[in-house]
């Protein structure tokens, strides 16, 4: 009896050792590990590129399922062909492979059939090809942010919502384009803000889940009504709609900074950058916070790094020129503003004129002013005109333009209380009255 048990145990050990030797000979573990590593690398690559390339989440899910189904096939292939030397294809191998492929294929077909169509997962923004074409063109022109591109962008976006009045994303982008276009107009901005308000409200009405639509509404409330509390509520609605909306955080940073809450503003700007780490807009958002808080050296380095990554981003050249003026580096400021002018379609000699007048004013301590033809050739909104006039020492004219900007709801009125250029105006009663009217005193 004891001998039979010993014999069975011995045979079992021999069988186990034989299996282990066969596994080692066929390198089954190595082949399986190599397959898992290769599949993990491919899935990681797909996860990295899916969002930038606009792929549906179902692409990643399908790839994961294919990788899972492929594992037994890889194990079978290693079992029959993992050993050194040449092996013949056996009928049993073919049968097992066919079974594995049929089972795996059946699982894939069942999953694909049960899942929503790609059109349902990635919802088309519009069923109108004309609206979509006009929207794509308008969005491209908005991104250029130039005096020449924005009017054409608005025309394209208005065509898009004309073709499809329920195209929510086009309404949102139209509101943003209208808000941006005021930066290059010196006249009355109120009609443009009324149109932006109507577009943003329509966007929210059509898609209350769109964070960008709520952000557009908040931006209108800031620019049109100086309604800080209402804008804060709207930005919170944006963050509720999409907690990962970088734009909601960026514009909340703008609101907080305008109210003198610099530390909170920087935290929001940094959150926006974490959410969109490669976005020039979000990098610009952090750079502006540095500039507004008077950290000119850090701001200069920040924008230098931004331009190394995005050399044609116009706002970076514009801001870098302002920073270099604050640091007294007029030669560098001249080059920065020349580049801004080139990108924006503005005559570059105007940059030389401006920097020359600023340098003369700051070195001589006397007001220089700017010739009348200067503002005829360069489209600047009233707040930016006031910035320029302050830098050349013409403070009275600067305050007059700020008063005009207040009456006509010019862009960037929200920032007048924290802009470093206007620190020399704080003792002027007219300037304090402007801050009272804006609600920032």
């Amino acid at each position: 009896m004891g001998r039979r048990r010993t014999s069975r145990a011995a045979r079992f050990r021999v069988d186990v050792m034989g299996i282990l030797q066969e596994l080692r000979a066929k390198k089954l573990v190595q082949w399986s590990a190599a397959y898992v590593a290769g599949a993990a690398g491919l899935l990681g690559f797909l996860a990295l590129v899916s969002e930038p390339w606009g792929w549906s989440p179902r692409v990643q899910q399908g790839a994961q399922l294919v990788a899972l189904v492929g594992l037994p096939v890889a194990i079978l292939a290693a079992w029959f062909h993992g050993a050194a030397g040449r092996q013949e294809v056996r009928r049993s191998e073919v049968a097992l492979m066919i079974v594995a492929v049929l089972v795996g294929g059946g699982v894939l077909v069942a999953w694909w059939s049960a899942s929503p169509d790609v059109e349902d997962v990635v919802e088309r923004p519009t069923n109108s090809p004309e609206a979509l074409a006009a929207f794509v063109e308008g969005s491209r022109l908005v991104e250029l942010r130039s005096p020449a591109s924005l009017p054409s962008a608005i025309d394209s976006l208005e065509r898009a919502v004309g073709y499809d009045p329920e195209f929510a994303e086009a309404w949102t982008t139209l509101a943003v384009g209208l808000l941006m276009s005021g930066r290059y107009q010196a006249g009355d901005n109120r009609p443009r803000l009324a149109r932006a308000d109507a577009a943003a409200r329509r966007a929210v009405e059509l898609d209350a889940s769109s964070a960008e639509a709520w952000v557009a509404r908040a931006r209108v409330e800031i620019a049109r009504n100086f309604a800080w509390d209402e804008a804060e509520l709207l930005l919170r609605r944006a963050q509720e709609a999409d907690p990962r909306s970088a734009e909601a955080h960026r514009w909340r940073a703008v609101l907080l900074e305008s109210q003198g809450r610099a530390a909170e503003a920087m935290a929001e700007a940094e959150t926006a950058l974490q959410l969109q780490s490669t976005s020039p807009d979000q990098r610009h958002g952090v750079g502006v916070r540095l500039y507004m808080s008077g950290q000119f050296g850090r701001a200069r380095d920040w924008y230098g790094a931004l331009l190394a990554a995005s050399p044609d981003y116009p706002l970076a050249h514009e801001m870098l020129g302002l920073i270099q003026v604050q640091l007294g580096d007029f030669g560098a400021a001249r080059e920065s503003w020349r580049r801004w002018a080139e990108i924006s379609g503005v005559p570059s000699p105007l940059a030389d004129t401006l920097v020359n007048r600023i340098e003369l004013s700051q070195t001589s301590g006397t007001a220089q002013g700017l010739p009348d033809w200067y503002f005829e050739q360069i489209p600047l909104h009233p707040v930016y005109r006031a910035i320029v006039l302050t830098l050349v020492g013409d403070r009275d004219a600067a305050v007059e333009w700020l008063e005009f900007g207040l009456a006509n709801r010019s862009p960037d009125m929200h920032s007048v209380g924290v802009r470093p250029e206007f620190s020399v105006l704080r003792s002027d009663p007219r300037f304090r009255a402007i801050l009272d009217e804006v609600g920032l005193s």
Side-chain angles (χ1 to χ4, degrees):
M1 186 75 172
R3 289 179 180 176
R4 283 200 297 269
R5 288 179 181 172
T6 303
S7 176
R8 287 174 186 171
R11 283 199 301 270
F12 177 75
R13 284 195 296 272
V14 169
D15 290 342
V16 169
M17 292 302 296
I19 291 171
L20 291 176
Q21 287 174 359
E22 191 166 3
L23 289 177
R24 282 196 294 268
K26 294 182 176 182
K27 300 181 180 178
L28 191 66
V29 174
Q30 294 94 320
W31 279 102
S32 299
Y35 176 86
V36 171
L42 179 60
L43 292 174
F45 173 75
L46 288 176
L48 187 65
V49 303
S50 288
E51 184 175 350
W53 290 358
W55 289 354
S56 163
R58 203 156 63 135
V59 172
Q60 291 187 58
Q61 295 167 2
Q64 290 166 3
L65 191 55
V66 168
L68 185 61
V69 170
L71 179 58
V73 175
I75 292 173
L76 285 172
W79 180 261
F80 286 105
H81 298 283
R86 182 179 179 182
Q87 291 88 28
E88 295 180 359
V89 177
R90 304 172 187 174
R91 290 182 181 179
S92 57
E93 174 190 354
V94 173
L96 287 171
M97 288 288 189
I98 290 173
V99 170
V101 170
L102 287 176
V103 172
V107 172
L108 282 172
V109 169
W111 171 79
W112 192 269
S113 301
S115 300
D117 289 340
V118 173
E119 291 295 328
D120 296 328
V121 176
V122 183
E123 191 173 320
R124 286 176 61 86
T126 177
N127 290 322
S128 167
E130 296 86 358
L132 185 59
F135 168 70
V136 170
E137 177 64 8
S139 299
R140 182 187 69 80
L141 293 169
V142 165
E143 286 301 311
L144 294 178
R145 306 167 186 266
S146 72
S149 72
L150 286 169
S152 299
I154 292 168
D155 288 343
S156 293
L157 293 165
E158 286 180 333
R159 287 200 310 276
V161 298
Y163 287 126
D164 182 358
E166 296 188 355
F167 192 170
E169 193 174 354
W171 283 108
T172 299
T173 310
L174 174 59
V176 171
L178 287 163
L179 287 162
M180 282 187 180
S181 66
R183 292 181 57 83
Y184 301 106
Q185 304 291 332
D188 191 349
N189 197 42
R190 288 171 295 181
R192 192 177 293 105
L193 288 176
R195 292 165 61 196
D197 186 37
R201 288 178 183 274
R202 179 62 174 153
V204 168
E205 178 186 333
L206 290 167
D207 185 5
S209 68
S210 168
E212 289 74 16
W214 288 107
V215 170
R217 275 213 59 200
R219 292 176 62 182
V220 172
E221 286 299 322
I222 293 172
R224 192 183 190 195
N225 303 317
F226 309 128
W228 304 105
D229 292 341
E230 177 66 14
E232 176 109 27
L233 289 174
L234 292 168
L235 288 170
R236 290 199 180 277
R237 288 291 300 271
Q239 290 176 331
E240 290 169 5
D242 181 3
R244 295 187 59 78
S245 169
E247 283 297 281
H249 287 284
R250 180 164 77 100
W251 282 98
R252 189 158 186 267
V254 172
L255 181 146
L256 292 169
E257 183 181 70
S258 299
Q259 296 175 317
R261 298 155 66 182
E264 295 173 77
M266 179 58 82
E268 287 283 355
E270 289 174 342
T271 299
L273 182 57
Q274 289 171 4
L275 291 169
Q276 287 185 343
S277 59
T278 61
S279 165
D281 283 344
Q282 307 312 336
R283 293 183 179 184
H284 171 59
V286 173
V288 171
R289 309 287 84 78
L290 292 171
Y291 176 74
M292 295 295 192
S293 62
Q295 301 179 64
F296 301 132
R298 288 187 61 196
R300 176 194 57 202
D301 296 342
W302 184 268
Y303 278 104
L306 193 166
L307 285 170
S310 305
D312 292 329
Y313 186 66
L315 294 178
H317 291 285
E318 177 186 333
M319 283 301 304
L320 188 56
L322 282 173
I323 294 163
Q324 289 158 340
V325 164
Q326 296 287 356
L327 293 171
D329 191 351
F330 300 108
R334 189 176 289 108
E335 291 302 316
S336 294
W337 280 343
R338 280 176 182 167
R339 182 64 182 136
W340 169 82
E342 180 183 343
I343 295 170
S344 302
V346 173
S348 57
L350 297 177
D352 294 346
T353 300
L354 176 58
V355 175
N356 291 342
R357 296 296 179 98
I358 293 173
E359 183 176 12
L360 184 58
S361 171
Q362 296 193 6
T363 54
S364 68
T366 59
Q368 295 301 310
L370 285 164
D372 292 338
W373 55 261
Y374 183 86
F375 291 118
E376 293 173 2
Q377 294 189 45
I378 185 168
L380 295 176
H381 63 79
V383 174
Y384 213 94
R385 291 185 182 217
I387 291 171
V388 167
L389 289 165
T390 302
L391 291 173
V392 298
D394 195 346
R395 298 178 186 178
D396 283 338
V399 173
E400 289 171 3
W401 273 107
L402 287 175
E403 290 173 331
F404 180 87
L406 173 64
N408 293 282
R409 295 301 190 263
S410 297
D412 292 348
M413 283 301 301
H414 63 269
S415 69
V416 295
V418 293
R419 291 205 70 97
E421 303 91 352
F422 295 148
S423 60
V424 296
L425 304 179
R426 296 190 182 281
S427 60
D428 190 315
R430 297 171 299 168
F431 183 75
R432 293 200 300 271
I434 291 170
L435 294 183
D436 288 340
E437 186 72 20
V438 176
L440 296 174
S441 56

